[in-house]
Amino acid sequence: MKMFFATDIHGSEICWKKFLNAAAFYKADLVVLGGDVTGKVMVPIVAHHGYWEVTVRGERLRLDSREELLKVEQQLRDRGSYPAIVTSEELDQLSTQDAIDQRFNDEMTHSLDRWLDMADGKLRGGAIPCILNGGNDDIFEIDPILESAPSVTFAEGKVIDLAGSGFTMISMGYTNPTPWDTHREAPEEELAARIDAVAARVPDMNRTVFNFHAPPYGTGLDEAPELDASMRPTHGGAVMKPVGSTAVREAILKYQPPLSVHGHIHESRGVAKLGRTRTVNPGSSYGDGVLQAALIDINPKNGKVKYVLVNG
Amino acid sequence: MATDALGEERPTLFLRKATGLVRGWSVRDSMIYACLSTNVITLGLVEFAYQDAFPAGQLLTAVLVSGVWVSFLVLAYSGLVVTIPRAGGDYVWQSRILGSGLGFVMAATGWWFILWLWAPIYGSVLSEEFFQPLWVAFNDPSGAAWFATHTGTFVVTLITIAVAGLLVSLGMSGYARVQKWCFYGGLLGFAIIVILLLAFSRNDFISAFNNETAKLFGMKNGYAGTIADAGSKSIGYTPAPFGVAGTFSQSMLLVPMLMFYLLWPNWGTTLYGEIRGASDFKRVFSGMFFGLWTTVALSVVLLLLFAKTFGFNFYQDANALWIDNAYSLPSAHALPIFPYPVLLASWLVNNQVFQVILLLLMSLWFFAWVGTLFLSSTRVIFAAAFDRILPDGAAQVSEKRRVPVWSLVLMLLPAIGLAALYSYNSTFHTYTLDATLVIAVTYLFSAIAVVILPWRKPDLWAASPASRLKLLGVPVVPAAGVVTIGLIGYCLYEWLSNNAYGVNNNDSLIYMGAMYVLALVIYLAARVIRSRQGIDLSLINKEIPVE
């Protein structure tokens, strides 16, 4: 069984399109997106009479035609930003936290709807299995949208059969607490309880894949730049420290599945062994429009795992 | 959530709360890193000592020309950092823009294999700038001279390798804190030297030098004797008078030599992570640029003060005699140890405690720098293992202590072998500039990558803050790449055609060539072996179609 695993595309439309094409490109049996699907940035495009104004990478642009507008919108989407077309009055109204939150949520959910429409075509209406999960940066409003999409399977807390291979996957998008106080964070004890609850329903742990957004602590898959109190990397970014989950680490050591896939820490692309388990974090480079991923081949007979990390 | 008005009243973007939204690097931190990488005390002072290869050249002119030229390299690398801001530096950029095979060969040779040779160079510096002068300050000249012997150099190199390996094992966290304080301590030492060289006259120095060399080495009239010996028939060295005049073409020949210490302001680019936004180009560039120019400024200050207080002719004559002595051309006034300017300056104060304190303070320039010796090698080995070019074990980290055991073995064992060659084989010792050349070749391909980036990856380039920088309509970053290619091309031409650099001989070329062959063999073998295992390495950097 050949699985394509990517994660943390953070709203990058170019990465989403690549993800949808990955099964055909790599001849994979199924594709999995490990969380943090939605973007972090919304860029207002102010509509005036006959033209639009937007600031992109610090440069103020005047767009005089719809073609120019569409081009800039696509550039923003490709890099993970949400273009929000607003009037001057609407922009003025985005002055309260609630108003900004609401507009952000609207843009995220609309964008996800569009993405799922694309998926219907590319994945041949579900003929190519596609598993999606939320990550700590994803709002909860996306869960029902993913749940109701015909061509993808929303993975959180479920035991999912992997393309009739005899393998199953269990998933958790929650992470241990971060300095940013994001949406799906929980204390380590709660993470352990969540994992135990879903692991109890697994028929055969030797034929199970863990898909946990948080990487296991202290494996090298969880090294992030150390930050000071003002959220600035210390020592020019030279000092990295492990920020993964101890609950995920303990669960892997306790259950020892053949494979455990992770994301969350973009700069910690790598592979590590934890006991008998092969743990993988393909990292993320969504801002460059590169879809970092792991192409993983699991032998259904003996459970042996082969992998290659790709920059698609 | 946050908003960013970019200097306007109305917001131009909104950020929601999400992981990884951090403030940019501290320019000061990256400046310190760049300044320590282009280390004027450890590498610069050693390289200044070899000026006698081009006696009509002017160090001052060469330092300034090098500073300007290397600034273009800083521009080119800043463009790469903000366009593909991934930790991994040259390996990632070249793999993505030029292809996996070339990326691996250049990264393996420039950031891994050649670091084996840097280990004994670091060891030599520790011997010449720490053990030798310290033993002299303790009035033990024979002990000091032992550190200059083959065995002394080898032992100190082993110590250096052990320290650098230990720092990789323990992680950078504690070291980075120490490193910053070492830098400030080193600057304090530097300030003391500036004050000494300003406050004392040439006559004071002549008197101090004559006294100390008589007491320590039994020399008579050491200052005048040094100048006389250097100008003698057997040595025949007459340095050009100090200044910016002189033979410009000879000064230009010093530029490839000075790359030994000035080519590294971008050493920290392997460490940069997720950076975006127009202002980040300025931040990345500023850190490296001001680090480089701090080094250039410190170099100029030192050279001016050496000329004032030591006398420039004397300074270069002492260096020339020391080098000739090391290569079996002895003279009565050759110092048996490296004529370390810090030691010479410390003699201006006839107080042993002061001398020891000053030497220890200046040794902080070494200890702030040594930790980076194997850091980049570890990253390249890990990246190559994750790309399945090296066996998985190469990236394995012990579960309990989190020590990268095999990558340490791959770095330390060959380094120890080369340390023995470097210490005991004086011919091999002359290949020192190979260590610069091989990394320069890696830089050359990154410079080529930045020049062709707008054509190879137009979307990536269009989205990069670097693409907005234009001068008279010409994109600045690719243009800086062209100038960088010019710099490295010029240096390569001189290194490979001019015998004075010690690079252009059969053994040296075979040594360097063997490294490229080794890297290529590893890559091709990996392709074959992985293919048999059902893993297609050609997939690693193949781009998935978007539509």
Side-chain angles (χ1 to χ4, degrees):
Chain A
M1 177 195 61
K2 199 186 258 189
M3 177 173 82
F4 178 84
F5 175 78
T7 182
D8 293 78
I9 63 171
H10 286 287
S12 165
E13 194 153 300
I14 199 167
C15 286
W16 174 251
K17 288 174 179 171
K18 287 179 173 182
F19 175 74
L20 296 178
N21 288 333
F25 187 71
Y26 294 111
K27 298 181 176 57
D29 300 308
L30 78 157
V31 291
V32 180
L33 192 58
D36 280 1
V37 180
T38 50
K40 308 172 183 180
V41 180
M42 181 170 70
V43 178
I45 300 176
V46 184
H48 300 282
H49 291 294
Y51 70 98
W52 295 264
E53 275 189 323
V54 61
T55 301
V56 181
R57 301 188 307 274
E59 188 180 15
R60 194 159 189 81
L61 302 176
R62 179 188 160 114
L63 312 173
D64 289 315
S65 67
R66 188 156 291 278
E67 288 72 30
E68 284 179 338
L69 172 68
L70 291 174
K71 192 178 169 192
V72 167
E73 279 189 302
Q74 193 56 52
Q75 280 175 355
L76 290 169
R77 287 193 187 107
D78 282 348
R79 303 296 159 199
S81 299
Y82 296 111
I85 298 181
V86 292
T87 62
S88 288
E89 294 73 29
E90 285 171 333
L91 183 59
D92 289 339
Q93 286 163 11
L94 291 176
S95 56
T96 65
Q97 200 58 62
D98 282 349
I100 297 169
D101 286 350
Q102 187 54 54
R103 183 68 192 237
F104 232 124
N105 287 2
D106 289 347
E107 295 296 339
M108 280 191 278
T109 50
H110 289 155
S111 174
L112 189 59
D113 279 334
R114 262 183 350 98
W115 281 17
L116 291 169
D117 286 344
M118 289 182 210
D120 285 340
K122 290 284 184 183
L123 302 173
R124 301 199 297 273
I128 300 169
C130 174
I131 297 169
L132 252 67
N133 204 24
N136 66 304
D137 283 334
D138 291 320
I139 53 173
F140 289 101
E141 285 84 343
I142 70 164
D143 294 7
I145 297 172
L146 292 175
E147 193 72 79
S148 62
S151 51
V152 306
T153 305
F154 179 53
E156 182 70 36
K158 293 178 186 166
V159 179
I160 298 171
D161 176 52
L162 292 184
S165 63
F167 275 78
T168 53
M169 171 179 275
I170 60 173
S171 304
M172 178 180 71
Y174 285 79
T175 68
N176 47 314
T178 74
W180 295 273
D181 185 25
T182 55
H183 302 278
R184 296 170 206 241
E185 294 181 11
E188 294 285 6
E189 306 77 48
E190 190 184 323
L191 297 184
R194 282 177 177 273
I195 294 169
D196 286 340
V198 68
R201 293 187 275 129
V202 164
D204 180 0
M205 198 50 80
N206 291 321
R207 300 178 77 77
T208 297
V209 175
F210 284 3
N211 170 26
F212 300 155
H213 192 59
Y217 179 85
T219 46
L221 308 186
D222 64 329
E223 301 261 322
E226 184 183 80
L227 301 177
D228 64 16
S230 67
M231 307 288 266
R232 193 189 282 286
T234 61
H235 309 291
V239 175
M240 308 289 276
K241 70 174 206 177
V243 295
S245 162
T246 53
V248 168
R249 181 188 175 94
E250 293 310 314
I252 292 169
L253 287 169
K254 178 178 167 187
Y255 294 113
Q256 291 283 281
L259 175 68
S260 187
V261 290
H262 308 275
H264 189 38
I265 309 300
H266 302 177
E267 46 279 89
S268 249
R269 175 177 183 266
V271 179
K273 283 277 253 187
L274 210 47
R276 293 192 308 276
T277 305
R278 176 91 58 188
T279 61
V280 179
N281 176 4
S284 171
S285 194
Y286 75 94
D288 318 339
V290 172
L291 184 62
Q292 290 188 192
L295 197 56
I296 300 164
D297 205 342
I298 307 176
N299 187 325
K301 287 179 186 161
N302 58 20
K304 275 199 167 179
V305 173
K306 284 191 224 164
Y307 71 91
V308 62
L309 301 183
V310 293
N311 306 301
Chain B
M1 301 212 182
T3 58
D4 185 351
L6 294 173
E8 298 174 3
E9 283 181 13
R10 306 176 94 189
T12 54
L13 64 82
F14 298 94
L15 301 170
R16 68 190 183 91
K17 66 177 183 183
T19 319
L21 294 173
V22 300
R23 299 175 66 203
W25 311 115
S26 149
V27 172
R28 186 190 56 186
D29 282 357
S30 40
M31 194 196 98
I32 290 174
Y33 202 85
C35 185
L36 284 172
S37 301
T38 54
N39 199 311
V40 65
I41 300 302
T42 56
L43 293 174
L45 291 180
V46 168
E47 202 55 22
F48 289 168
Y50 289 84
Q51 197 240 343
D52 71 333
F54 305 102
Q58 286 290 353
L59 271 179
L60 197 58
T61 308
V63 166
L64 292 170
V65 168
S66 300
V68 171
W69 216 344
V70 174
S71 296
F72 287 94
L73 175 133
V74 168
L75 255 178
Y77 266 78
S78 301
L80 286 168
V81 168
V82 297
T83 305
I84 308 182
R86 293 288 101 197
D90 296 279
Y91 180 50
V92 173
W93 301 323
Q94 291 182 25
S95 296
R96 288 205 189 156
I97 299 169
L98 303 174
S100 299
L102 191 60
F104 174 75
V105 170
M106 288 301 131
T109 49
W111 288 100
W112 174 16
F113 299 167
I114 201 62
L115 272 298
W116 298 333
L117 178 58
W118 275 100
I121 293 173
Y122 275 54
S124 285
V125 171
L126 183 63
S127 170
E128 288 159 3
E129 298 193 355
F130 183 72
F131 288 107
Q132 293 177 24
L134 211 52
W135 256 248
V136 164
F138 287 134
N139 287 325
D140 182 4
S142 58
W146 180 81
F147 285 107
T149 63
H150 298 314
T151 305
T153 306
F154 183 58
V155 169
V156 175
T157 300
L158 291 183
I159 293 170
T160 308
I161 291 170
V163 170
L166 196 67
L167 289 171
V168 170
S169 308
L170 296 177
M172 283 292 285
S173 180
Y175 179 65
R177 283 171 184 81
V178 174
Q179 192 178 34
K180 197 184 283 183
W181 288 109
C182 284
F183 179 72
Y184 293 137
L187 281 182
L188 174 65
F190 191 95
I192 293 170
I193 286 172
V194 168
I195 291 167
L196 284 178
L197 295 178
L198 278 173
F200 287 92
S201 67
R202 173 89 51 92
N203 285 337
D204 294 331
F205 175 72
I206 292 171
S207 169
F209 184 81
N210 286 342
N211 287 340
E212 292 288 346
T213 50
K215 182 180 78 182
L216 291 162
F217 308 116
M219 280 185 197
K220 285 181 183 169
N221 205 6
Y223 189 92
T226 299
I227 293 172
D229 277 6
S232 68
K233 271 190 183 171
S234 58
I235 306 291
Y237 172 62
T238 311
F242 184 67
V244 287
T247 313
F248 187 73
S249 61
Q250 288 281 302
S251 300
M252 286 300 293
L253 292 175
L254 288 169
V255 171
M257 219 173 76
L258 296 184
M259 290 304 111
F260 182 68
Y261 88 106
L262 285 174
L263 196 61
W264 325 121
N266 55 338
W267 199 255
T269 50
T270 51
L271 308 174
Y272 291 120
E274 195 167 339
I275 299 169
R276 57 178 45 89
S279 63
D280 289 320
F281 182 90
K282 196 174 163 191
R283 189 179 291 279
V284 171
F285 173 76
S286 300
M288 289 193 271
F289 180 79
F290 289 118
L292 168 69
W293 279 91
T294 301
T295 297
V296 170
L298 296 180
S299 306
V300 169
V301 166
L302 282 181
L303 291 172
L304 288 170
L305 290 173
F306 293 169
K308 174 208 162 280
T309 309
F310 298 159
F312 202 69
N313 280 14
F314 163 80
Y315 170 60
Q316 292 298 14
D317 286 342
N319 285 327
L321 292 186
W322 168 69
I323 290 165
D324 286 340
N325 189 47
Y327 290 101
S328 305
L329 198 58
S331 60
H333 293 90
L335 290 175
I337 59 161
F338 174 54
Y340 183 35
V342 174
L343 178 69
L344 304 186
S346 77
W347 285 345
L348 287 163
V349 177
N350 189 19
N351 181 306
Q352 192 181 21
V353 175
F354 172 83
Q355 291 170 0
V356 169
I357 289 172
L358 185 60
L359 287 167
L360 289 176
L361 265 181
M362 290 303 283
S363 74
L364 296 177
W365 284 91
F366 178 87
F367 292 109
W369 172 70
V370 65
T372 56
L373 173 58
F374 291 133
L375 192 65
S376 307
S377 310
T378 327
R379 288 169 190 253
V380 167
I381 291 171
F382 272 51
F386 295 148
D387 281 351
R388 312 309 306 272
I389 295 168
L390 296 176
D392 297 2
Q396 209 166 314
V397 176
S398 72
E399 264 182 42
K400 278 188 182 169
R401 299 195 182 279
R402 299 177 52 221
V403 175
V405 181
W406 283 106
S407 68
L408 273 176
V409 169
L410 290 171
M411 289 182 296
L412 301 189
L413 283 186
I416 291 169
L418 281 195
L421 270 175
Y422 193 85
S423 304
Y424 291 102
N425 183 326
S426 52
T427 311
F428 195 85
H429 194 100
T430 63
Y431 307 163
T432 298
L433 275 175
D434 288 10
T436 304
L437 186 152
V438 172
I439 302 177
V441 171
T442 302
Y443 285 8
L444 176 68
F445 281 91
S446 285
I448 292 170
V450 83
V451 171
I452 65 172
L453 178 62
W455 291 277
R456 288 279 287 184
K457 304 277 179 185
D459 293 340
L460 193 58
W461 175 247
S464 167
S467 66
R468 289 178 46 221
L469 285 175
K470 288 185 179 169
L471 190 66
L472 303 173
V474 177
V476 168
V477 167
V482 171
V483 179
T484 305
I485 291 169
L487 166 67
I488 298 173
Y490 165 70
C491 290
L492 285 173
Y493 173 77
E494 290 298 338
W495 284 326
L496 295 174
S497 63
N498 191 328
N499 295 339
Y501 300 104
V503 170
N504 180 29
N505 61 71
N506 278 347
D507 291 346
S508 158
L509 294 173
I510 289 169
Y511 165 66
M512 287 189 286
M515 282 193 290
Y516 289 98
V517 170
L518 176 62
L520 192 61
V521 166
I522 291 174
Y523 181 76
L524 293 175
R527 286 286 294 259
V528 172
I529 292 166
R530 294 304 187 194
S531 172
R532 284 179 188 162
Q533 293 172 341
I535 298 168
D536 184 358
L537 292 190
S538 70
L539 293 177
I540 291 173
N541 285 302
K542 259 189 191 162
E543 194 166 349
I544 306 169
V546 177
E547 300 304 336

